[in-house]
Amino acid sequence: MNNEIQEVAIKDIVCSSDFQVRAGLNARTVTNYTMAYKSGAVFPPVTIAKLDGKLILVDGFHRVEALKALGRESVRAEVVQTNREGAFKLAAGGNRTHGLPLKRHEVRRAFRFYMKGKQYLKGRSGHKSYEEIALELGGTRHLTTIRNWMHKDFPGTAQRLYSRDGAEWEITGKRKLTQKERLTRTAYKALREFEKASSSVQDPHERGCLIQEVEGLLQTLKQEGEYTPWEEPPF
C-alpha cells in the first residue's frame, strides 16, 4: 500500500458508516476537538482509504466533523491506496491506538473489521491464535470472548481454525497445550456438542430432565471454586 500525507478537500471525502468502528459520533468529543482546532492545536492526520477511486474516511470521523463545524474546507490526511480488505484493516486499527475509548459493543464491531481485513492471517498459510487476536484488539476482551464472537460471526473461519491443527489450535494456536488448557478445551467442546444434541429434544419431559441435569452441574461447578462472571456485551 502506498501512503501519502496531503491536504484533502472535505467535500470529496466519503464518510460511510460501513467503515466506522464507532456506533456514532460523540457530541462532546466533537465540541472539544472544535475548540482545540480553533485554539491552534495540531491533530494527527486522519486516515483515508483510496478505494475504487473514492476517498473513504476510515479514521478521524470526530476530527472531520469538528473541522466542518469551523467551516474548514480541507483536512490533513494520510491517503492509502488499498482494497476493501485493507480499508477494513485500517478502520479496525485506528480507533484502538488513540481517541475516545471504544464502548463495549464497539469492540465487537472492531473485531468484525479486524476479521474482514484478514488480520487473523499469519504468514502465507497460518492463522493467529485467539490469544494473539485478543491482544491485537487491545487486550480488552478475554480469548474466550473472541472465540465466541468468532463462532457466532464467522463460523466458517472458526471451523477452519479448529480443524487445521485439531484441538490444540482452538485455544492456543500451534503451541502444545498444557494439561489445564487441554481439559478446558474438552469442556468447551462437550458444551458445544451438548448444545447441538439438546436442540433436537422436543419432548417436554425429556427437556425438563435435561434442564434439571444442567442446573445441577452448574451448581456443582459454582461450588467447586472461585470464578469470575463473564458478561457478553449488549449487541
Side-chain angles (χ1 to χ4, degrees), residues 11-47:
K11 66 179 179 63
D12 294 334
I13 299 174
V14 178
C15 298
S16 172
S17 60
D18 291 343
F19 293 93
Q20 185 176 9
V21 170
R22 301 186 190 281
L25 293 174
N26 182 282
R28 178 175 294 182
T29 300
V30 173
T31 299
N32 290 340
Y33 283 11
T34 301
M35 294 176 63
Y37 272 122
K38 194 173 182 179
S39 299
V42 178
F43 284 78
V46 302
T47 305

Side-chain angles (χ1 to χ4, degrees), residues 92-106:
N95 285 284
R96 296 201 308 269
T97 57
H98 59 79
L100 190 69
L102 294 177
K103 297 179 181 178
R104 296 172 69 185
H105 64 281
E106 291 172 338

Side-chain angles (χ1 to χ4, degrees), residues 150-187:
M150 187 77 77
H151 280 275
K152 291 178 181 178
D153 297 343
F154 301 93
T157 301
Q159 183 59 39
R160 288 196 298 274
L161 290 177
Y162 181 76
S163 62
R164 180 176 177 82
D165 292 310
E168 294 191 3
W169 187 274
E170 178 71 1
I171 299 296
T172 60
K174 290 187 176 181
R175 69 175 175 80
K176 187 176 180 180
L177 289 174
T178 64
Q179 179 66 12
K180 179 180 177 181
E181 290 168 337
R182 192 178 300 279
L183 291 172
T184 300
R185 180 203 60 80
T186 300

Side-chain angles (χ1 to χ4, degrees), residues 81-101:
Q81 180 74 48
T82 186
N83 55 22
R84 189 172 178 81
E85 290 179 0
F88 278 119
K89 182 177 180 179
L90 291 168
N95 285 284
R96 296 201 308 269
T97 57
H98 59 79
L100 190 69

Side-chain angles (χ1 to χ4, degrees), residues 74-206:
S74 66
V75 60
R76 189 164 174 264
E78 179 182 16
V79 180
V80 183
Q81 180 74 48
T82 186
N83 55 22
R84 189 172 178 81
E85 290 179 0
F88 278 119
K89 182 177 180 179
L90 291 168
N95 285 284
R96 296 201 308 269
T97 57
H98 59 79
L100 190 69
L102 294 177
K103 297 179 181 178
R104 296 172 69 185
H105 64 281
E106 291 172 338
V107 176
R108 184 166 183 177
R109 185 169 171 83
F111 163 73
R112 290 170 178 157
F113 280 24
Y114 177 95
M115 293 299 298
K116 290 178 181 179
K118 305 294 185 183
Q119 290 179 267
Y120 65 92
L121 297 177
K122 190 174 186 178
R124 293 185 177 181
S125 58
H127 298 76
K128 296 173 184 175
S129 70
Y130 287 115
E131 291 168 315
E132 291 174 308
I133 294 174
L135 287 173
E136 290 188 356
L137 286 170
T140 59
R141 290 296 179 273
H142 190 268
L143 66 92
T144 303
T145 302
I146 302 301
R147 182 189 62 78
N148 279 299
W149 287 352
M150 187 77 77
H151 280 275
K152 291 178 181 178
D153 297 343
F154 301 93
T157 301
Q159 183 59 39
R160 288 196 298 274
L161 290 177
Y162 181 76
S163 62
R164 180 176 177 82
D165 292 310
E168 294 191 3
W169 187 274
E170 178 71 1
I171 299 296
T172 60
K174 290 187 176 181
R175 69 175 175 80
K176 187 176 180 180
L177 289 174
T178 64
Q179 179 66 12
K180 179 180 177 181
E181 290 168 337
R182 192 178 300 279
L183 291 172
T184 300
R185 180 203 60 80
T186 300
Y188 278 122
K189 184 177 180 181
L191 283 173
R192 289 196 296 273
E193 291 176 350
F194 172 80
E195 181 181 13
K196 292 179 181 178
S198 62
S199 64
S200 63
V201 178
Q202 301 299 321
D203 181 84
H205 176 70
E206 292 296 334

